[in-house]
Amino acid sequence: MTHTNYTAELSDDWDFVVDGNGNLSMLRGTAATVQNVCNECRLFQHDAVFRYEDGIAWFEDQIALPVQQAVTTGDLREAAASVPGVLTVDSVTLTAFDPATRTLSAEIQISTEDGNNGTARI
C-alpha cells in the first residue's frame, strides 16, 4: 500500500480531523503530499504490517545513540523522496532535539510534481 494524494487529514497531535458535518476531513494535492512525507518520516522500519521494509531504521540508527545529524538528515531526505508526488527534496533541517525526552523535530522542504512547494514538519 502506498501513499495517495487523497488522504484523511491529521491534526497536530496526529488524530483524525472531523469537519463541521461530522465527516473525516480529507486532504488533496500538495497538502496530502506534505502530510504523506510526515507519515513516511515517522514510520519505523519493520513496523507497518503491509509495508514492512519501508520506513526509517530508527532503532538501528538513532534510538539510544547520540543523534548523528548527517545520518538523520539523510534518512529523512530518503524517506521524503520516496513519497509519490514529491519531485525534489530541497532541504532537511533538524530544528530541535530535546535530550531529556529524546524528541526530534525537523522541517523538510519539498517541491511536488504539481509544481507547488511545501514544508513537512515532523
Side-chain angles (χ1 to χ4, degrees), residues 16-26:
F16 288 113
V17 174
V18 179
D19 67 18
N21 295 322
N23 299 314
L24 284 177
S25 179
M26 301 299 288

Side-chain angles (χ1 to χ4, degrees), residues 24-97:
L24 284 177
S25 179
M26 301 299 288
L27 297 175
R28 290 180 169 85
T30 300
T33 302
V34 167
Q35 181 172 284
N36 290 338
V37 167
C38 291
N39 290 340
E40 191 66 26
C41 290
R42 291 174 183 229
L43 179 62
F44 281 65
Q45 190 175 41
H46 302 224
D47 193 37
V49 173
F50 296 108
R51 296 180 58 220
Y52 192 72
E53 296 301 322
D54 293 346
I56 295 176
W58 290 112
F59 287 115
E60 292 82 2
D61 289 346
Q62 297 298 322
I63 304 296
L65 298 171
V67 172
Q68 303 172 61
Q69 186 169 352
V71 172
T72 303
T73 57
D75 287 346
L76 292 172
R77 180 178 295 278
E78 184 178 332
S82 74
V83 173
V86 173
L87 183 62
T88 61
V89 178
D90 302 321
S91 69
V92 176
T93 306
L94 301 182
T95 56
F97 175 68

Side-chain angles (χ1 to χ4, degrees), residues 107-119:
E107 287 189 356
I108 304 165
Q109 301 286 331
I110 62 166
S111 297
T112 63
E113 291 175 353
D114 58 4
N116 295 316
N117 298 317
T119 303

